[in-house]
Amino acid sequence: MVPVLLISFIPLVRGIYIGFTDYELGGQISFSGLENYRIMLQDRFFWRSMGVGFLWTTVVTALQISLGLILALLLNQGLRWTSLYSVLMLVPWAMPPIVRGLMWRQIYSPDTGALNLILTQMGLIDAPINWLTSFEWAIPAIIVAGVWGEIPKAALFFLAGLKTIPGSLYEAAELDGASAFRQFRHITLPMMKPIMAAVVSLSFMWNFNAFGLIWILTQGGPGGLTRLPMLAAYEEAFRYGYVGYAAAIGNVMVIIISLFLFFYLRVQLKERTS
Amino acid sequence: MQISKLLASRSLKRRIGNLLMHGLILTFLLYLLFPLIWMISTSFKTTAEIYSGIPSLIPKVFTGEHYLTVFQEERLLKSIANSLYVGIITAIIVVMISLPAAYALSRYKTAVNKVVMGWILTSQIFPAILIMIPLFLVLRSLHLTDTLSGLVLVYVVWDIPFVLWMLQGYVKEIPIELEEAAAIDGASQTQIIYKIIMPLLLPAIGAAVLFAFISAWNEFFFALVLLKSPDLSTLPVELARYTGIEGQSRTGPLAAASFIATIPSIVLFAILRKWFSSGALQGAVKG
């Protein structure tokens, strides 16, 4: 048991430590204290990637949670064909991340992409737009693709959660004449709180650490506009060789995620006890 | 009068409501399924039709030429072989390590177990870069960067926590009374494990093997960092490289290759769905 623990634990501890060294690829590892973090404070590119990382993470998480919840509610109404719908909705989740990226690249492609072709046919645009290299459209484009891939997971969790709410609660509310909206507010939402907390926390972590999809879609472009924190860390380490600095970025990411979880879960727990 | 009465009736209201809900679900599905449908459709279109500038979901002429191209490109074929190799070896090693660990984890409740379970959950917080850098340095000192064995090693480290978690859930569901009964009948510990536990765990082992295989088959970041020689590329890395050299003839074959890359996931997904619907997930989220 212990060796298994160590196999994944030791590299991580070493990774965190490297974030406090000035290690460059091929050089010596020597402790440099907080030097990396001092450099970071003045690193314009670092701040930009954190900014876009935040924007991406909050928007994608918020959209996937709300859309996932709506979809789960719809699938929980006992409509006909529900089981077929529930299988089909999982399709994006079953795709390898790299293929998700390639599919969306195809859709956004300026000359053969579905989006441009359809918009042109409908007469909404005159000239094809190069979505992924445009400063205006690159961020919305990656967000639409990102949300698309995350809805199934959220909906699946919510659906499992909805199934655990006892039907008798709704029957009682029905007898008391509560409207559907009130039932949702006062039964569904409170009962879903623990799952909501879990899905929001996990989604925030996963989205903040996103890499593959964005790498395929934009490689961080245009002009570093979509360079999420993981892309920044990857480039620092394996393109420029600043391994110590890249690990430092990784450490900052861990701190940001931990802070988010700490505050978010504290608010959630407080609400539950009051 | 009649009509207004009819409109007011509950059943009609409900029908309209249901229709509306079906419509909403179908809108969701359009968003969720369209990219896949478009990719499959592209993979069967002739190159001329792809570039015709007219959007169509069903190809005017079905052609298998892009699939043929894929199977004639040596590098793509090689990358499929590499991915298969890495996936299979990873799956075998991961399960061989995780199985005894999972058994110990769910049968002997010690303080260590709590730490391990806590660790598996918290490890989700750490970005892949923090694991990749130290592993990269270790592999470099062993001269294992840019080798498939090095990649397998990384995948083993990366996959173990989740597979362990998955397997221990299954072991927990096997009633301990079964083992006790066997022990009373005089079975030895090894007999109990091989004759009783193993057969019961076979479906779980199958699921774990498949999961480990797919996660290696799909993985991109570690492979991108470690593999530099074109000969060693796994399928995701090769596909990414393929997009870099986009040209007239590439769109079709790329769609075909992407579709091929999706097949193992679809198989896993069909199997895992049973696992989900069997209530394993419900149990996991209830607590």
Side-chain angles (χ1 to χ4, degrees), chain A residues 155-165 191-192 195, chain B residues 282 285:
Chain A
L156 192 68
F157 271 100
F158 287 141
L159 204 54
L162 287 172
K163 295 254 190 286
T164 64
I165 303 177
M191 293 293 282
M192 292 285 281
I195 289 193
Chain B
Q282 271 91 332
V285 292

Side-chain angles (χ1 to χ4, degrees), chain A residues 165-236:
Chain A
I165 303 177
S168 55
L169 284 182
Y170 293 107
E171 284 158 26
E174 196 87 37
L175 284 179
D176 290 344
S179 67
F181 177 73
R182 289 192 54 145
Q183 289 181 25
F184 175 72
R185 258 221 68 192
H186 295 287
I187 302 174
T188 314
L189 273 188
M191 293 293 282
M192 292 285 281
K193 235 178 202 161
I195 289 193
M196 188 67 97
V199 178
V200 171
S201 308
L202 285 170
S203 306
F204 189 90
M205 290 188 238
W206 288 333
N207 291 332
F208 198 65
N209 292 337
F211 179 82
L213 179 74
I214 313 300
W215 182 260
I216 292 299
L217 286 179
T218 64
Q219 293 223 355
L225 185 68
T226 60
R227 196 166 170 257
L228 299 186
M230 261 298 278
L231 276 85
Y234 168 79
E235 287 193 331
E236 292 290 353

Side-chain angles (χ1 to χ4, degrees), chain A residues 1-2 4-5 7-12 14-16 18-19 23 25-27 29 66-68 70-71 73-75 77 79-99 102-107 109 111-115 117-118 121 143-149 151-152 156-157 160-161 163-164 174 194-195 202 205-206 209 211-212 215-216 230 233-234 237-238 243-244 246-251 253-254 257-258 261, chain B residues 10 17-26 28-39 42 45 50-56 97-98 100-102 104-105 112-113 115-116 119-138 140 156-158 160-161 164 217-221 224-225 228 235-237 239-241 243-244 246 248 251 254-255 257-259 261-266 269 272-273 276 281-282 285-287:
Chain A
M1 200 57 254
V2 176
V4 172
L5 185 66
I7 255 185
S8 65
F9 191 67
I10 289 179
L12 196 59
R14 195 141 176 261
I16 293 170
I18 290 174
Y23 181 66
L25 217 54
I29 301 185
S66 30
L67 292 175
I70 293 172
L71 184 56
L73 285 169
L74 287 169
L75 291 176
Q77 299 300 317
L79 295 173
R80 212 190 294 181
W81 302 312
T82 294
S83 57
L84 175 67
Y85 291 152
S86 331
V87 177
L88 288 178
M89 81 159 187
L90 292 174
V91 160
W93 194 32
M95 306 279 111
I98 194 87
V99 174
L102 293 174
M103 288 191 314
W104 281 96
R105 252 182 92 110
Q106 239 295 284
I107 287 175
S109 152
D111 46 359
T112 64
L115 189 56
L117 293 183
I118 292 169
Q121 286 272 312
I143 286 176
V144 169
V147 171
W148 169 85
I151 287 179
L156 192 68
F157 271 100
K163 295 254 190 286
T164 64
E174 196 87 37
I195 289 193
L202 285 170
M205 290 188 238
W206 288 333
N209 292 337
F211 179 82
W215 182 260
I216 292 299
M230 261 298 278
Y234 168 79
F238 299 107
V243 179
I249 294 179
N251 286 341
M253 290 169 70
V254 173
I257 292 174
S258 312
L261 291 183
Chain B
R10 264 186 96 121
N18 279 356
L19 218 62
L20 221 67
M21 286 195 279
H22 277 290
L24 268 174
I25 296 177
L26 289 174
F28 265 104
L29 289 181
L30 181 70
Y31 175 34
L32 295 175
L33 293 180
F34 181 75
L36 176 70
I37 297 171
W38 184 257
M39 180 185 86
T42 305
K45 281 178 193 167
I50 293 175
Y51 284 89
S52 67
I54 301 157
S56 61
I97 296 177
S98 307
L105 198 62
V112 180
N113 294 349
V115 175
V116 173
W119 167 245
I120 289 172
L121 291 176
T122 38
S123 66
Q124 294 282 312
I125 293 180
F126 298 94
I129 190 91
L130 280 182
I131 305 255
M132 190 61 239
I133 289 175
L135 286 177
F136 181 80
L137 298 182
V138 171
R140 222 172 50 135
V156 168
V157 171
W158 187 249
I160 278 181
L164 194 56
W217 173 271
N218 285 353
E219 206 283 330
F220 176 61
F221 177 66
L224 178 72
V225 171
K228 294 289 171 247
L235 186 55
V237 176
L239 285 176
R241 189 175 290 139
T243 51
E246 238 163 339
Q248 277 278 332
T251 306
L254 189 61
S258 305
F259 186 53
T262 306
I263 293 170
S265 315
I266 292 177
F269 166 74
L272 276 192
R273 218 182 59 78
F276 280 133
L281 184 74
Q282 271 91 332
V285 292
K286 214 181 249 172

Side-chain angles (χ1 to χ4, degrees), chain B residues 154-201:
Chain B
V154 175
Y155 288 165
V156 168
V157 171
W158 187 249
D159 283 346
I160 278 181
F162 189 78
V163 171
L164 194 56
W165 178 74
M166 199 170 151
L167 283 176
Q168 65 91 29
Y170 279 107
V171 177
K172 249 192 220 154
E173 292 198 351
I174 299 173
I176 196 142
E177 289 78 16
L178 220 60
E179 288 177 49
E180 287 165 355
I184 290 169
D185 288 344
S188 70
Q189 189 66 29
T190 26
Q191 272 179 323
I192 290 176
I193 289 180
Y194 283 102
K195 295 255 164 76
I196 296 178
I197 303 295
M198 281 296 226
L200 285 173
L201 274 182

